Amino acid sequence: MLFVTSVEILVNRNAQNGSVDVLDLLQGWGSGVGTYDDFNTIDWVREKSKDRDRHREISRKRRQSITALLLSVSDAFSGWLLMLLIGLMSGALAGGIDIAAHWLTDLKEGVCLNGFWFNHEHCCWNSKETTFQERHRCPQWKSWAELTVGVTEGASAYVVNYLMYVIWALLFSFLAVFLVRAFAPYACGSGIPEIKTILSGFIIRGYLGKWTLVIKTITLVLAVASGLSLGKEGPLVHVACCCGNIFCHLFTKYRKNEAKRREVLSAASAVGVSVAFGAPIGGVLFSLEEVSYYFPLKTLWRSFFAALVAAFTLRSINPFGNSRLVLFYVEFHTPWHLLELFPFVLLGIFGGLWGALFIRANIAWCRRRKATRLGRYPVLEVAVVSLATAVLAFPNDYTRMSGSELISELFNDCSLLDSSKLCDYGPLAKGGEPAGNLSEGTVGQAERPAGPGVYTAVWQLAMALLFKMAITVVTFGMKVPSGLFIPSMAVGAVAGRLLGIGMEQLAYYHHDWDMFHGWCSPGAHCITPGLYAMLGAAACLGGVTRMTVSLVVIMFELTGGLEYIVPLMAAVMTSKWVADALGREGIYEAHIRLNGYPFLEPKEEFVHKTLATDVMRPRRSDPPLSVVTQDGMTVEELEGLISDTSYSGFPVVVSPESHRLVGFVLRRDLVISIDNARRCQEGIVGVSRVIFTEHTPVEAQGAPPPLNLRAILDLSPLAITDHTPMEITVDIFRKLGLRQCLVTQNGRLLGIITKKDILKHMAQMANRDPDSILFN
Amino acid sequence: MLFVTSVEILVNRNAQNGSVDVLDLLQGWGSGVGTYDDFNTIDWVREKSKDRDRHREISRKRRQSITALLLSVSDAFSGWLLMLLIGLMSGALAGGIDIAAHWLTDLKEGVCLNGFWFNHEHCCWNSKETTFQERHRCPQWKSWAELTVGVTEGASAYVVNYLMYVIWALLFSFLAVFLVRAFAPYACGSGIPEIKTILSGFIIRGYLGKWTLVIKTITLVLAVASGLSLGKEGPLVHVACCCGNIFCHLFTKYRKNEAKRREVLSAASAVGVSVAFGAPIGGVLFSLEEVSYYFPLKTLWRSFFAALVAAFTLRSINPFGNSRLVLFYVEFHTPWHLLELFPFVLLGIFGGLWGALFIRANIAWCRRRKATRLGRYPVLEVAVVSLATAVLAFPNDYTRMSGSELISELFNDCSLLDSSKLCDYGPLAKGGEPAGNLSEGTVGQAERPAGPGVYTAVWQLAMALLFKMAITVVTFGMKVPSGLFIPSMAVGAVAGRLLGIGMEQLAYYHHDWDMFHGWCSPGAHCITPGLYAMLGAAACLGGVTRMTVSLVVIMFELTGGLEYIVPLMAAVMTSKWVADALGREGIYEAHIRLNGYPFLEPKEEFVHKTLATDVMRPRRSDPPLSVVTQDGMTVEELEGLISDTSYSGFPVVVSPESHRLVGFVLRRDLVISIDNARRCQEGIVGVSRVIFTEHTPVEAQGAPPPLNLRAILDLSPLAITDHTPMEITVDIFRKLGLRQCLVTQNGRLLGIITKKDILKHMAQMANRDPDSILFN
């Protein structure tokens, strides 16, 4: 299939140039022309031309028959169908992952006698004996201690439960790392750095394949259930992109065109965030702001559709039983006061500091892993980290629960019915009824002194904060699927809640202070610690990922009120500024650089005053540029040139003396074409002349027939002058998605700049190691 | 100021090239180098380079002194400050416009005795005699009939009110058109087509100036109040952009750089929509999807900030007294049924048809206005249309009220307390209490038979629909500020409401039909006509403007529930498909083309198979390309070349024989530089050689000193080969924002392609008149 199309395209491309023998071509080229090697960069211009050719062909045929018309209509709608499929599948997978992870998480604590496949909540669903306070206790649900030792309280029960918790955690994490290692090494990590790189035009075969999808889905459940400090949000983006890539194979349009497929993947990453946070608009903006490289408006519209379909699918599955898409949906009822912007900005500063420090620490740790023996034992590493996490997490309620549960608890605004420790407030000291009585449960409580529960909770939260901060650094980057959103948000939520409780107690004990005057009178509800937790979470996530608009919109969709956008913006903006001051890169860019992917960051401005001539190859000391002349080389000479050099393409010039540029030919195309010609075309031998001109000249009597390769010649290579500033060159590469660009001086071909040259130059100018860019 | 900076930049640009005498330059160039003429296109690449140079300069100086450091910090934050100012100012203006328009609209009906500056609602605010039903009647408010004739009912009262209504309408519209004609001709129309063009890099001096702002604000109030079929939404975008442009003058960074200023204007257009619909996110997406050309992520984030500030400012002003930002905020409570998608899609089809037909009719009418005598009497035209509108609108309640009020009324879900005709339902016929009694006012009413009020309303609405459809076609494009959003939405809302009432009655009388089975049982509330009105409004607006994501998000922000996004998407998508099938262009693109602006539509794909060689000039029959040689021409020869040709720039080549490209020089820069040199530089005469090389050669004894103009030479012109397909060329122009591009063949300079050539070629390929593109 690919063979025919490539030739068709080549024929089309040539038809416009005039007289090329079509039969000649049909014999000539193999199936590889126009495709890419693994770990190579695609040529956006070529891919988009290919798609336009295909589109023209369909439009042309449309007028000829009904079948062709129907085909053209189905072609036009295939994009929408694809989006529908991706939305349905991703929504379903996300629902499945939520349910399975919930069940396995509860399995660490106990088992349901009605059926081991029920999670704690479902097990006690129909239990009538429970009050609202004790809705999570029912006779059907047995903790491991109850089941084995027969007691629910006391030291022995605690030890048994502890032991079982650790064993299950170890088992889950071991299974996860084992599956990843054995079946799909690409399933590890969050996947977002790689997806960003792929979307920018890089080829990583198998990264979005079937096996990766299956293994990532399973191991994600296991990794989340094991209690490691990781989340499912980033991997969900990877899962959605795998779905997108797999469904692409159903449609020729997307299967055969790397650029078109990347449009689908952009939409799929929007779908991933949409199901992760129940935020379709936020997801689309995330894709636009954070991951996508090329995002035409058509993709915007389709992404939005897919994100909605996915959100609705997830809601029909209803994994949390509350027709919400996420565990930590929040509703606040108290307005915030302008003075509170001060603590909000403090949270932003904390988030920025944490983000920058986390990135440094994590990158240092990952470098260490790569450089030392540590990297050779990934299974052991996971086991050790998992053991440490489980052992340290169990004693503390707030680390024992899963990340989402923790965030949900911290975001929660205390109502009078709440039984959690965080809501254990004492009675009002200085007379006056709590205002909460007036409108129970809806407006929340009046400021009251913290009870013993809150004090315990504060200590536990402080411990949890330190623990989460430390363990997340070593967890992210291990060989299990691991997202960063939830751990970052958890750190921020804990810090925010602590600050919120502090503010609340301050307001209670010192409501006579000027700053609380006319706002926090006794008996009034003025500070919402849950809001602080939310802002802290946003700030930390912002510091780590450097998301801005998408983060605010995601949070806005979680809370559902325009009311809190101003505090959110204040916190997120401060966090970004602080973090940027300490290091320009977000965690994903840092990991891209760590892995040496050829990613041309669209956000980073190139500020240096170098010129194209400083970057192009050959350098002054190098041998001259390897060029192909349009009619002067033999097959043997070309083969020699190919084997002597490793360049991925050669400029074609009129003559070696004039160095006037004719076109550009790719190494891969050249190799395949010569191979094919030698095999299939009669009379092609080593001394046959290779011709790139329009008209094949008549050879002297007795000489072998020439090989005309104009069909594989790119007649429109982009050329810039040697005086072009690099800032403009970088812009051209970014915006047009080039792989290479030729450099001329006063009309003579002088050299070539590839994407890799640019990346190396940028690394050099930023005082980084230019050899860290590994791939082409 | 501009003089110094231009020279600085030139010096900087040259410093990198080596040895150019700085003093030489400082004497040489006037203040015009690097600026643009009116009705010309900017060079994005050059503007962005200029900004990077400026930025580098600031970064360099930062390390030298505290003052410079502070300057650099203030420079970094000036963008945010600018956004804050634009948000505050636009929000305030929008609030003022709302209040003033409301007051003047009510003035057509009567006057408040407490003070003529109160509108009807404010006048009766404190009146205690009124019940909820009659909250709009109070003794302080006198209709014109009451005031003059002394009666409130009867024929004479009706005639007096009618007359006063018409007189006021005529007065307002006359004032509006008079002010526009006399003080700011650019203040007419919606402004969005021109803003799109300006954002794409076109210069229209004064379009966003102080006078335009003042006059547009005033006349917008008058035009809206006159009852013409127009809205304030589009003009609000223009007003916000004027604010943006004016505030740009406060900051050197934005005043001097056309590209940076366009980033600000993109954000300002987001602000405009944010205040028009109370939809900050929708506004940002509107700017991204509909108006902006170059939208970097930094702008996204800033637009969002500005849009929020504006929305909050507007809310503090609270023009509608309900802490909502728009009159037609809606809250529906009934879920929709899957089967309802069928009528929703019908509404989409209606919207698409109406959109496409409206565009054709309006463009035909505008062409007629341009071509015939009609265009010569704009004041008369406005007066006639305004008279016709007033005379025809008064007898019908639904056309007498303003567009926003109409939409608000149609979107409204009937509660039991509602006294409007649209909610006049009879009692339940077949027994059973209305379900509405159970939860009064919140859930709405059960399906009930339409009462006489509803029947009257249906007839009046049908008449209003026809009237609005006809009058909007002639209104849009007159010489008053006129937005299209409200009239389009009104048409759609009327059609939607009619369909909704139809469906509702169908469900009531035929609830035994299969399609209503299990969903519309008697006594249940199943159809919300208000929802139909909203979907109709969205569909019609979508058909006219072809907005998609932004439209859905705006509507989502109006209704505040994810619930209705699926019907919205269905309606908007259908509408776009239907409208696109009948004509590819939205109303704004159609008006851009009507006015001949050089706008390179980013959404339209170029699908033809032409090559650069088919488009470039000179054509085969033309005289050869006018070039400048780098060291072979005298001042006189150059002046001759300039006066003989009208090209806006000349390629500089090594020699006329080799045609090897060295650089590109702009006509404007050349003229200014030669003029300045003749005036200020000693010894420059007609026979002085003009040199573009790096080193000035030593002239023969006695010869006048040469003039070195390398400083104004663009050393990095982009060149493409003659075989480059036009689709790629168009892409390059679009993405890099080029003004011209050189064409080479085998390394020899062959010709030049300008943006205008491309636009003409595109017009030709689409069988349109290529001479319709008027400007450069």
Side-chain angles (χ1 to χ4, degrees):
Chain A
M1 282 297 274
L2 192 58
F3 168 75
V4 178
T5 314
S6 303
V7 173
E8 269 173 14
I9 289 161
L10 292 167
V11 173
N12 283 340
R13 275 198 127 181
N14 270 283
Q16 67 203 27
N17 302 336
S19 57
V20 171
D21 189 356
V22 176
L23 273 177
D24 212 39
L25 286 172
L26 277 171
Q27 288 167 354
W29 325 121
S31 59
V33 173
T35 62
Y36 300 93
D37 278 326
D38 201 4
F39 296 112
N40 261 294
T41 301
I42 67 164
D43 186 337
W44 286 87
V45 179
R46 183 164 75 160
E47 294 299 305
K48 276 184 269 172
S49 292
K50 258 167 67 178
D51 184 58
R52 285 199 204 98
D53 282 329
R54 202 192 56 81
H55 198 252
R56 261 196 292 267
E57 186 62 12
I58 289 176
S59 310
R60 196 177 54 75
K61 280 190 190 150
R62 188 164 54 188
R63 286 171 223 125
Q64 293 169 356
S65 72
I66 292 288
T67 335
L69 182 70
L70 286 178
L71 270 176
S72 103
V73 171
S74 83
D75 181 78
F77 280 86
S78 63
W80 292 100
L81 181 58
L82 188 53
M83 291 299 138
L84 182 70
L85 289 174
I86 295 172
L88 289 172
M89 177 96 172
S90 307
L93 281 177
I97 289 171
D98 279 337
I99 292 170
H102 203 164
W103 167 59
L104 286 184
T105 304
D106 286 352
L107 204 59
K108 287 191 295 184
E109 288 176 8
V111 71
C112 186
L113 294 186
N114 290 348
F116 72 94
W117 56 88
F118 287 119
N119 69 27
H120 195 156
E121 201 174 340
H122 281 138
C123 189
C124 300
W125 208 275
N126 296 318
S127 155
K128 277 159 199 159
E129 305 153 63
T130 55
T131 64
F132 187 78
Q133 300 274 340
E134 303 210 316
R135 65 192 183 284
H136 278 173
R137 290 199 189 162
C138 66
Q140 292 88 343
W141 181 261
K142 298 281 182 202
S143 72
W144 292 112
E146 226 173 325
L147 214 65
T148 50
V149 200
V151 288
T152 53
E153 309 271 313
S156 60
Y158 189 81
V159 170
V160 170
N161 280 334
Y162 201 154
L163 215 64
M164 286 304 287
Y165 182 91
V166 173
I167 289 171
W168 279 113
L170 267 176
L171 181 68
F172 292 154
S173 62
F174 173 77
L175 254 176
V177 70
F178 171 75
L179 287 171
V180 166
R181 294 279 298 168
F183 298 105
Y186 282 148
C188 72
S190 97
I192 293 182
E194 284 79 9
I195 287 167
K196 278 188 82 161
T197 316
I198 289 174
L199 286 179
S200 82
F202 196 56
I203 306 264
I204 309 180
R205 294 216 188 287
Y207 196 84
L208 302 173
K210 279 189 292 293
W211 273 108
T212 312
L213 174 64
V214 172
I215 296 300
K216 187 130 196 176
T217 310
I218 297 171
T219 54
L220 178 57
V221 171
L222 292 168
V224 168
S226 76
L228 281 166
S229 178
L230 46 81
K232 64 180 170 52
E233 280 65 19
L236 269 181
V237 173
H238 189 176
V239 165
C241 283
C242 287
C243 293
N245 188 50
I246 291 166
F247 284 125
C248 273
H249 285 278
L250 297 178
F251 303 94
T252 331
K253 186 173 170 180
Y254 296 100
R255 184 175 63 237
K256 287 194 186 157
N257 195 300
E258 295 287 344
K260 290 301 278 182
R261 204 187 302 170
R262 273 158 184 77
E263 288 177 22
V264 175
L265 296 181
S266 286
S269 57
V271 169
V273 174
S274 167
V275 289
F277 289 102
I281 303 173
V284 173
L285 287 173
F286 173 80
S287 174
L288 177 69
E289 185 187 2
E290 194 59 30
V291 271
S292 291
Y293 190 84
Y294 169 66
F295 204 92
L297 280 171
K298 214 160 61 180
T299 308
L300 188 71
W301 187 214
R302 289 190 178 168
S303 305
F304 194 53
F305 173 71
L308 267 177
V309 171
F312 272 85
T313 312
L314 183 57
R315 187 150 91 177
S316 328
I317 295 174
N318 201 357
F320 302 108
N322 56 358
S323 65
R324 296 295 181 199
L325 300 174
V326 277
L327 205 52
F328 39 90
Y329 185 88
V330 266
E331 264 177 289
F332 299 126
H333 302 280
T334 326
W336 53 278
H337 192 269
L338 210 62
L339 275 178
E340 282 187 289
L341 275 179
F342 180 70
F344 296 161
V345 165
L346 274 186
L347 282 176
I349 293 172
F350 172 78
L353 286 175
W354 155 247
L357 290 179
F358 171 78
I359 292 170
R360 291 207 177 179
N362 181 256
I363 292 294
W365 180 256
C366 287
R367 255 185 227 294
R368 194 183 184 81
R369 185 188 288 131
K370 276 192 148 181
T372 63
R373 283 199 300 176
L374 190 65
R376 269 180 268 159
Y377 308 104
V379 179
L380 190 67
E381 185 194 357
V382 171
V384 169
V385 172
S386 164
L387 183 69
T389 309
V391 167
L392 292 172
F394 186 84
N396 187 336
D397 286 346
Y398 294 108
T399 49
R400 195 194 302 175
M401 60 175 73
S402 76
S404 324
E405 277 171 336
L406 173 61
I407 293 172
S408 165
E409 174 124 8
L410 293 171
F411 279 13
N412 188 26
D413 195 10
C414 284
S415 68
L416 283 182
L417 288 172
D418 244 309
S419 60
S420 90
K421 271 184 297 188
L422 274 174
C423 298
D424 175 30
Y425 287 93
L428 270 178
K430 300 170 189 174
E433 278 293 294
N437 278 0
L438 297 172
S439 47
E440 247 175 50
T442 55
V443 185
Q445 296 170 291
E447 262 27 293
R448 287 191 296 166
V454 173
Y455 283 110
T456 324
V458 165
W459 277 112
Q460 287 187 333
L461 282 177
M463 289 292 115
L465 182 64
L466 294 177
F467 168 71
K468 284 264 172 197
M469 284 168 84
I471 205 81
T472 308
V473 171
V474 295
T475 305
F476 188 70
M478 290 199 311
K479 293 273 171 241
V480 288
S482 55
L484 251 187
F485 281 29
I486 293 286
S488 309
M489 285 174 75
V491 165
V494 172
R497 187 81 188 202
L498 288 176
L499 184 65
I501 294 175
M503 281 294 291
E504 188 190 43
Q505 293 306 309
L506 201 69
Y508 173 71
Y509 286 111
H510 300 284
H511 51 74
D512 47 343
W513 282 7
D514 269 356
M515 54 180 264
F516 294 119
H517 186 70
W519 157 48
C520 268
S521 46
H525 181 62
C526 58
I527 305 241
T528 314
L531 176 63
Y532 283 71
M534 193 193 76
L535 294 174
C540 281
L541 188 50
V544 171
T545 60
R546 310 292 159 86
M547 287 154 64
T548 51
V549 185
S550 45
L551 180 55
V552 172
V553 173
I554 287 171
M555 288 293 178
F556 160 71
E557 288 188 80
L558 279 182
T559 55
L562 265 178
E563 209 71 50
Y564 302 104
I565 284 196
V566 171
L568 261 174
M569 282 201 84
V572 170
M573 209 146 45
T574 318
S575 154
K576 186 174 160 65
W577 282 337
V578 170
D580 275 354
L582 297 172
R584 297 290 304 174
E585 291 178 323
I587 185 76
Y588 301 129
E589 288 83 51
H591 271 262
I592 286 173
R593 201 150 58 70
L594 182 75
N595 292 323
Y597 297 128
F599 181 72
L600 201 51
E601 177 57 56
K603 281 176 232 167
E604 198 186 326
E605 289 253 316
F606 184 83
V607 292
H608 306 284
K609 282 188 74 74
T610 45
L611 296 181
T613 184
D614 305 328
V615 179
M616 70 171 195
R617 285 180 308 172
R619 301 290 160 82
R620 255 166 223 142
S621 52
D622 290 350
L625 185 68
S626 303
V627 293
V628 172
T629 52
Q630 66 174 350
D631 54 3
M633 293 177 86
T634 63
V635 170
E636 269 176 350
E637 282 170 347
L638 263 179
E639 285 173 333
L641 183 68
I642 291 168
S643 61
D644 289 349
T645 59
S646 60
Y647 306 131
S648 58
F650 304 94
V652 177
V653 294
V654 176
S655 68
E657 299 77 41
S658 75
H659 258 238
R660 284 173 185 258
L661 181 68
V662 174
F664 192 80
V665 63
L666 287 174
R667 177 199 189 82
R668 188 180 159 86
D669 292 357
L670 206 55
V671 170
I672 295 173
S673 308
I674 291 180
D675 270 12
N676 275 309
R678 279 196 172 239
R679 265 191 293 117
C680 316
Q681 208 169 325
E682 238 172 86
I684 296 296
V685 289
V687 292
S688 297
R689 268 217 289 169
V690 178
I691 306 287
F692 289 97
T693 52
E694 217 167 305
H695 303 284
T696 311
V698 183
E699 291 289 310
Q701 198 65 34
L707 173 60
N708 194 320
L709 290 183
R710 193 176 175 86
I712 60 163
L713 182 63
D714 177 8
L715 286 166
S716 52
L718 205 71
I720 56 175
T721 68
D722 57 339
H723 272 92
T724 309
M726 272 313 288
E727 55 193 31
I728 294 178
T729 314
V730 170
D731 234 38
I732 293 175
F733 265 81
R734 250 183 222 150
K735 289 195 175 146
L736 301 181
L738 297 183
R739 199 156 67 153
Q740 71 276 318
C741 178
L742 298 166
V743 182
T744 61
Q745 184 183 43
N746 294 353
R748 285 173 63 91
L749 179 68
L750 203 67
I752 188 168
I753 295 182
T754 64
K755 195 169 172 184
K756 196 173 172 178
D757 293 329
I758 289 193
L759 288 164
K760 280 191 171 179
H761 179 70
M762 286 173 86
Q764 225 162 16
M765 296 309 281
N767 290 322
R768 297 188 302 242
D769 177 21
D771 291 324
S772 63
I773 291 117
L774 298 176
F775 309 103
N776 278 307
Chain B
M1 281 293 277
L2 192 57
F3 169 75
V4 177
T5 314
S6 303
V7 174
E8 269 174 13
I9 289 163
L10 292 167
V11 173
N12 282 339
R13 276 196 126 184
N14 270 284
Q16 70 202 24
N17 302 338
S19 56
V20 172
D21 189 357
V22 176
L23 273 176
D24 213 38
L25 286 171
L26 277 171
Q27 290 168 352
W29 326 121
S31 59
V33 174
T35 61
Y36 300 93
D37 278 328
D38 202 4
F39 296 111
N40 261 293
T41 301
I42 68 165
D43 186 339
W44 286 87
V45 178
R46 184 164 76 161
E47 294 300 303
K48 277 185 268 171
S49 292
K50 258 167 66 179
D51 184 59
R52 286 199 204 97
D53 282 330
R54 201 193 56 82
H55 197 252
R56 260 196 294 267
E57 186 61 14
I58 289 176
S59 309
R60 196 176 56 75
K61 279 190 190 151
R62 187 163 54 187
R63 284 171 223 126
Q64 294 170 355
S65 72
I66 291 288
T67 335
L69 182 70
L70 286 178
L71 271 177
S72 104
V73 171
S74 83
D75 181 76
F77 280 85
S78 64
W80 292 100
L81 182 59
L82 188 52
M83 291 299 138
L84 182 70
L85 290 175
I86 295 172
L88 289 173
M89 176 96 172
S90 308
L93 281 178
I97 289 171
D98 279 337
I99 292 170
H102 203 164
W103 167 58
L104 286 185
T105 304
D106 287 351
L107 204 59
K108 285 190 296 184
E109 288 175 9
V111 71
C112 187
L113 294 186
N114 290 348
F116 72 94
W117 57 88
F118 287 119
N119 69 27
H120 196 156
E121 201 175 341
H122 281 138
C123 190
C124 300
W125 208 276
N126 296 319
S127 157
K128 275 157 198 161
E129 305 153 63
T130 55
T131 63
F132 187 78
Q133 301 273 339
E134 304 210 316
R135 64 192 183 284
H136 278 173
R137 291 201 190 159
C138 66
Q140 290 87 345
W141 181 260
K142 298 280 183 206
S143 72
W144 291 112
E146 225 173 326
L147 214 64
T148 52
V149 199
V151 288
T152 53
E153 310 271 311
S156 59
Y158 189 82
V159 170
V160 171
N161 280 335
Y162 201 155
L163 215 64
M164 285 306 286
Y165 183 91
V166 174
I167 290 171
W168 279 112
L170 267 175
L171 180 69
F172 292 154
S173 61
F174 172 77
L175 253 177
V177 70
F178 171 76
L179 286 172
V180 166
R181 294 278 298 166
F183 298 105
Y186 282 147
C188 72
S190 98
I192 294 182
E194 285 78 10
I195 287 167
K196 278 187 82 160
T197 315
I198 289 174
L199 285 179
S200 81
F202 195 57
I203 306 263
I204 309 181
R205 294 216 190 285
Y207 197 83
L208 302 173
K210 279 189 292 294
W211 273 108
T212 313
L213 174 63
V214 172
I215 296 300
K216 188 131 194 175
T217 309
I218 296 170
T219 53
L220 178 57
V221 171
L222 291 168
V224 168
S226 76
L228 282 166
S229 178
L230 46 79
K232 63 180 173 50
E233 279 64 18
L236 268 181
V237 172
H238 188 177
V239 165
C241 283
C242 288
C243 293
N245 188 51
I246 291 166
F247 283 127
C248 273
H249 285 278
L250 297 178
F251 304 94
T252 331
K253 186 173 171 180
Y254 296 100
R255 183 175 64 236
K256 288 195 187 157
N257 196 299
E258 295 287 343
K260 291 300 278 182
R261 205 187 302 169
R262 273 158 184 77
E263 288 177 23
V264 175
L265 295 181
S266 286
S269 57
V271 168
V273 174
S274 166
V275 289
F277 289 103
I281 303 173
V284 173
L285 287 174
F286 173 80
S287 173
L288 177 69
E289 186 188 359
E290 195 57 32
V291 269
S292 291
Y293 190 83
Y294 169 65
F295 205 91
L297 280 170
K298 213 161 60 180
T299 308
L300 188 71
W301 187 214
R302 289 190 179 168
S303 307
F304 193 53
F305 173 70
L308 268 176
V309 171
F312 271 84
T313 311
L314 183 56
R315 187 150 89 178
S316 327
I317 295 174
N318 201 357
F320 302 108
N322 57 359
S323 66
R324 296 293 180 199
L325 300 174
V326 278
L327 205 51
F328 38 93
Y329 186 88
V330 266
E331 262 177 291
F332 300 126
H333 302 280
T334 326
W336 54 278
H337 191 269
L338 211 61
L339 274 178
E340 282 187 287
L341 276 180
F342 181 69
F344 296 162
V345 164
L346 273 186
L347 282 176
I349 293 172
F350 171 78
L353 286 176
W354 156 246
L357 289 179
F358 171 77
I359 292 170
R360 290 205 180 181
N362 180 254
I363 291 295
W365 181 256
C366 287
R367 253 184 229 295
R368 196 184 184 81
R369 184 187 289 131
K370 275 191 148 183
T372 64
R373 283 199 301 177
L374 189 65
R376 268 179 269 158
Y377 308 104
V379 179
L380 189 67
E381 185 194 356
V382 170
V384 169
V385 172
S386 166
L387 183 69
T389 309
V391 168
L392 292 171
F394 187 85
N396 187 336
D397 287 346
Y398 294 108
T399 49
R400 194 194 304 175
M401 59 175 75
S402 76
S404 322
E405 275 171 338
L406 174 62
I407 294 172
S408 166
E409 173 124 8
L410 293 170
F411 279 14
N412 188 25
D413 195 8
C414 284
S415 68
L416 282 182
L417 289 172
D418 244 309
S419 60
S420 91
K421 270 183 296 189
L422 274 173
C423 297
D424 175 31
Y425 287 94
L428 269 177
K430 301 170 190 175
E433 279 293 294
N437 279 359
L438 297 172
S439 47
E440 249 175 49
T442 55
V443 184
Q445 295 172 291
E447 260 29 289
R448 285 192 298 167
V454 173
Y455 282 110
T456 324
V458 165
W459 277 113
Q460 288 187 331
L461 282 177
M463 289 292 115
L465 183 63
L466 294 178
F467 168 71
K468 284 262 173 199
M469 284 169 85
I471 205 81
T472 308
V473 170
V474 294
T475 306
F476 188 69
M478 289 199 312
K479 293 272 171 244
V480 287
S482 56
L484 251 187
F485 281 29
I486 292 286
S488 309
M489 285 175 77
V491 165
V494 172
R497 186 82 190 203
L498 287 176
L499 184 65
I501 293 174
M503 280 295 291
E504 189 191 43
Q505 292 307 310
L506 201 69
Y508 173 73
Y509 286 112
H510 301 283
H511 51 74
D512 47 343
W513 283 7
D514 270 356
M515 55 179 263
F516 295 119
H517 187 70
W519 156 49
C520 269
S521 47
H525 181 61
C526 58
I527 305 241
T528 315
L531 176 63
Y532 283 71
M534 193 193 76
L535 294 174
C540 281
L541 188 49
V544 171
T545 60
R546 311 293 158 84
M547 286 156 62
T548 51
V549 185
S550 45
L551 181 55
V552 172
V553 173
I554 287 171
M555 287 294 178
F556 159 72
E557 288 188 80
L558 279 182
T559 55
L562 265 177
E563 210 70 50
Y564 303 104
I565 284 197
V566 171
L568 261 175
M569 282 200 82
V572 171
M573 208 145 47
T574 318
S575 155
K576 186 176 159 64
W577 282 338
V578 169
D580 275 353
L582 297 173
R584 297 291 303 174
E585 291 177 322
I587 186 76
Y588 301 130
E589 287 84 50
H591 272 263
I592 285 174
R593 200 150 58 70
L594 181 75
N595 292 324
Y597 297 129
F599 182 72
L600 201 51
E601 176 57 55
K603 281 175 230 167
E604 196 185 327
E605 289 252 317
F606 183 83
V607 292
H608 306 284
K609 283 187 74 73
T610 45
L611 296 180
T613 183
D614 306 327
V615 180
M616 69 171 194
R617 286 181 306 172
R619 302 290 160 83
R620 255 166 223 140
S621 52
D622 290 350
L625 185 68
S626 303
V627 293
V628 172
T629 52
Q630 65 175 353
D631 52 4
M633 294 178 85
T634 63
V635 169
E636 267 175 351
E637 282 169 349
L638 264 180
E639 284 172 334
L641 183 68
I642 290 168
S643 61
D644 290 348
T645 59
S646 61
Y647 306 131
S648 57
F650 305 95
V652 177
V653 294
V654 175
S655 68
E657 300 77 41
S658 74
H659 257 238
R660 284 172 185 255
L661 181 67
V662 174
F664 191 81
V665 64
L666 287 174
R667 177 199 189 82
R668 188 180 159 86
D669 291 358
L670 206 56
V671 170
I672 295 173
S673 308
I674 290 180
D675 271 12
N676 275 309
R678 277 195 174 241
R679 264 192 293 117
C680 316
Q681 208 169 326
E682 237 172 88
I684 297 295
V685 290
V687 291
S688 297
R689 268 217 289 169
V690 179
I691 305 287
F692 289 96
T693 52
E694 217 167 306
H695 303 284
T696 311
V698 183
E699 291 289 310
Q701 198 65 34
L707 173 61
N708 194 320
L709 291 183
R710 193 175 175 88
I712 59 162
L713 182 63
D714 178 7
L715 287 165
S716 51
L718 205 71
I720 57 175
T721 68
D722 57 339
H723 272 92
T724 308
M726 273 312 288
E727 56 194 30
I728 294 178
T729 313
V730 171
D731 234 39
I732 293 175
F733 265 82
R734 250 182 221 151
K735 289 195 176 146
L736 301 181
L738 296 183
R739 199 155 66 152
Q740 72 276 318
C741 178
L742 299 166
V743 182
T744 61
Q745 184 184 42
N746 293 354
R748 284 173 65 92
L749 180 68
L750 203 66
I752 187 168
I753 295 182
T754 63
K755 195 169 172 183
K756 196 171 173 181
D757 293 330
I758 290 193
L759 287 164
K760 280 192 171 178
H761 179 69
M762 288 172 84
Q764 224 162 16
M765 296 309 280
N767 290 322
R768 296 190 302 244
D769 177 21
D771 291 324
S772 63
I773 291 117
L774 298 177
F775 309 103
N776 278 308

